[in-house]
Amino acid sequence: MDFSANGKFMAATCDDSLASSMDPAGAAARRRKPRDRRRPPAAPPSPSAPQRISTEELVDALRPHLLTPERMWALGYPLELEPNSAKAVVYINPPPRSRTTTLRYTAWDVNAPEFVPGCSQSDSGRGSLGSSPRSDSDEEADTVEHLCVRCDSMYRMTREGENLSQSCVYHWGRVSQDYRHTCCNQPLGARGCSTARFHVWNGTRPGMNGPLEGYARARSPRGGIYAIDAEMVYTTAGLELASIAVIAADGRLVYRSLVKPSSPVVDHNTRFSGIRPRDLARATKTLRDVQNDILGFVGTDTILIGHAMDNDLRALKLLHGAVIDTCALFPHARGFPFRRSLRVLCEELLGRSVQRGSAGHSPLEDARAAMDLVLYKVNEERAKRARMTRQISMFQPYDPLISAA
Ligand SMILES: [Zn+2]
Ligand SMILES: [Zn+2]
């Protein structure tokens, strides 16, 4: 790995060798871990030949895909409250229905997002849904109520972070198109198939969140294009950063670190995060260390790429304005808040599998997948433009001087 002694990486700009990364499946095959070599990936469906592209050309090609501040706001990205305040605000779109409240209170809504926990605006008399201080009795004055993002139950914690919840019974899978939980194939609404010791929350609530402290941002331009992926664990403070990987446009790993969460871990979320207790036991860096490392090579103009990167930037507590999100680049047919999964996009567009292992997601694999999806998009757009140029040149206007010559 290309780390300097203090964990920082001196990011090199990508050069002409970038041409190789314009062939996502090929590049992926070259980077494949040794144990995966036995199964070469299927050829991507697109027949477009990879084209050489310079860094400048790539930046120009990516610029139209940068999210506007308005779009970032709508997608849940942290934005700076006021210039140079280092305080963030986040707006979380309230999900229209939850799995359980939909069944309990309303007729089934086919437009409801299947996988986003939350509840409808009208079914709580206590206001905020993600977490709400309660003071309606002396006993509850020192507790905070949260919504469990796994089972949609409301549960209480003391302000000191002691979890007063009962065990959490939930489905870890998604809901399929025929309304079955993919984890156990039981119909929607069936009792959970998995049990965890505690309920968990994600640290945000629907609507406005903030002002939030501890955010960092770049102060000067440094150029570059990087893909970021973070893995999080559940702590008493919500989802916290536990592992992060950053790669360059040519697929090179530029930064990777485990991170010590600041609050006690409630659940390592290993199935999805890939983080085991022993991983965090050897983590030495704090969130602040990792922010400093990343701001060693990410500048104000650096293009950051990720899949649903609002989650990553909230966990990283990083304010950044130049972002490309593969969720927005390849939107769901039914529009936001539906999001296509990284796994499905990779299978469909790159012809390769990600997130298939039982050990949880790898931030390195996911960051590379996001980068390759963006390069795939750029490659497709360039190929399309080249085809159009060829077609136009075939229909030159009749020129009598040329014809007479
Ligand atoms: Zn299940
Ligand atoms: Zn729960």
Side-chain angles (χ1 to χ4, degrees):
M1 292 189 291
D2 297 325
F3 294 100
S4 66
N6 63 359
K8 289 185 185 176
F9 178 81
M10 300 309 293
T13 52
C14 42
D15 51 29
D16 281 345
S17 66
L18 184 61
S20 63
S21 66
M22 294 301 291
D23 170 15
R30 283 189 292 280
R31 290 191 300 264
R32 198 155 289 272
K33 293 173 197 162
R35 63 182 163 81
D36 289 336
R37 278 193 186 128
R38 280 164 288 148
R39 286 185 292 111
S46 164
S48 309
Q51 301 163 42
R52 297 181 73 81
I53 186 168
S54 69
T55 306
E56 293 71 27
E57 282 177 303
L58 184 56
V59 169
D60 284 345
L62 293 180
R63 205 166 277 133
H65 298 299
L66 292 173
L67 294 179
T68 62
E70 292 77 18
R71 192 96 172 90
M72 289 175 70
W73 182 243
L75 290 173
Y77 277 82
L79 297 186
E80 196 163 29
L81 186 58
E82 42 192 60
N84 300 316
S85 67
K87 285 186 180 146
V89 278
V90 171
Y91 181 77
I92 302 293
N93 259 301
R97 302 278 190 281
S98 77
R99 299 182 287 259
T100 47
T101 48
T102 297
L103 292 173
R104 213 179 293 151
Y105 295 111
T106 66
W108 172 245
D109 176 1
V110 292
N111 293 315
E114 292 128 336
F115 319 123
V116 184
C119 30
S120 66
Q121 291 285 21
S122 57
D123 60 13
S124 166
R126 287 192 300 272
S128 113
L129 298 164
S131 61
S132 55
R134 299 186 59 179
S135 57
D136 35 356
S137 77
D138 286 347
E139 184 201 334
E140 290 171 343
D142 293 329
T143 66
V144 184
E145 195 171 47
H146 296 304
L147 176 73
C148 176
V149 292
R150 289 193 296 219
C151 69
D152 296 339
S153 303
M154 297 302 289
Y155 72 99
R156 286 191 296 140
M157 271 172 51
T158 66
R159 289 187 184 279
E160 288 72 43
E162 189 191 348
N163 206 317
L164 304 174
S165 72
Q166 303 295 312
S167 60
C168 174
V169 180
Y170 66 103
H171 293 280
W172 57 263
R174 297 181 162 222
V175 179
S176 63
Q177 298 230 326
D178 58 346
Y179 305 127
R180 288 186 171 274
H181 297 282
T182 55
C183 38
C184 55
N185 206 32
Q186 291 190 81
L188 182 70
R191 184 180 158 79
C193 60
S194 305
T195 304
R197 191 161 169 219
F198 296 117
H199 295 294
V200 290
W201 73 301
N202 63 10
T204 60
R205 54 188 166 76
M208 191 73 83
N209 290 256
L212 306 168
E213 309 275 346
Y215 273 73
R217 68 174 178 84
R219 302 279 163 184
S220 52
R222 290 180 189 272
I225 302 162
Y226 302 104
I228 281 191
D229 188 73
E231 301 297 341
M232 283 74 92
V233 295
Y234 290 109
T235 73
T236 53
L239 278 173
E240 282 197 63
L241 185 67
S243 173
I244 183 162
V246 183
I247 64 141
D250 57 4
R252 192 168 36 89
L253 176 70
V254 294
Y255 184 76
R256 189 170 196 183
S257 183
L258 290 163
V259 192
K260 279 191 298 190
S262 61
S263 300
V265 175
V266 177
D267 195 309
H268 287 81
N269 197 27
T270 307
R271 183 188 298 279
F272 296 103
S273 70
I275 305 288
R276 300 155 300 181
R278 66 173 181 270
D279 295 325
L280 287 191
R282 62 188 168 89
T284 54
K285 295 207 175 217
T286 63
L287 176 63
R288 181 60 73 189
D289 296 332
V290 171
Q291 286 174 332
N292 288 337
D293 289 350
I294 284 177
L295 292 178
F297 58 88
V298 168
T300 47
D301 59 342
T302 304
I303 295 178
L304 293 184
I305 290 168
H307 185 79
M309 200 169 41
D310 53 304
N311 296 305
D312 307 73
L313 294 192
R314 285 200 306 269
L316 191 53
K317 296 196 175 180
L318 185 68
L319 294 157
H320 195 71
V323 303
I324 295 179
D325 194 319
T326 45
C327 282
L329 204 58
F330 304 99
H332 194 284
R334 287 155 76 184
F336 185 76
F338 291 95
R339 296 177 178 195
R340 303 185 73 194
S341 72
L342 190 64
R343 183 178 60 77
V344 168
L345 284 174
C346 279
E347 280 172 6
E348 214 176 279
L349 302 175
L350 306 179
R352 81 175 194 238
S353 295
V354 297
Q355 302 177 351
R356 281 292 187 199
S358 56
H361 299 185
S362 149
L364 181 60
E365 181 185 56
D366 288 1
R368 279 187 174 143
M371 179 64 86
D372 286 346
L373 283 169
V374 169
L375 295 174
Y376 167 88
K377 181 82 172 182
V378 169
N379 195 28
E380 287 298 286
E381 287 174 346
R382 283 164 60 89
K384 194 173 167 188
R385 262 199 307 280
R387 278 197 301 274
M388 282 174 65
T389 308
R390 275 199 301 277
Q391 277 170 3
I392 289 166
S393 65
M394 280 167 61
F395 298 109
Q396 288 296 328
Y398 173 68
D399 186 334
L401 290 174
I402 294 173
S403 301

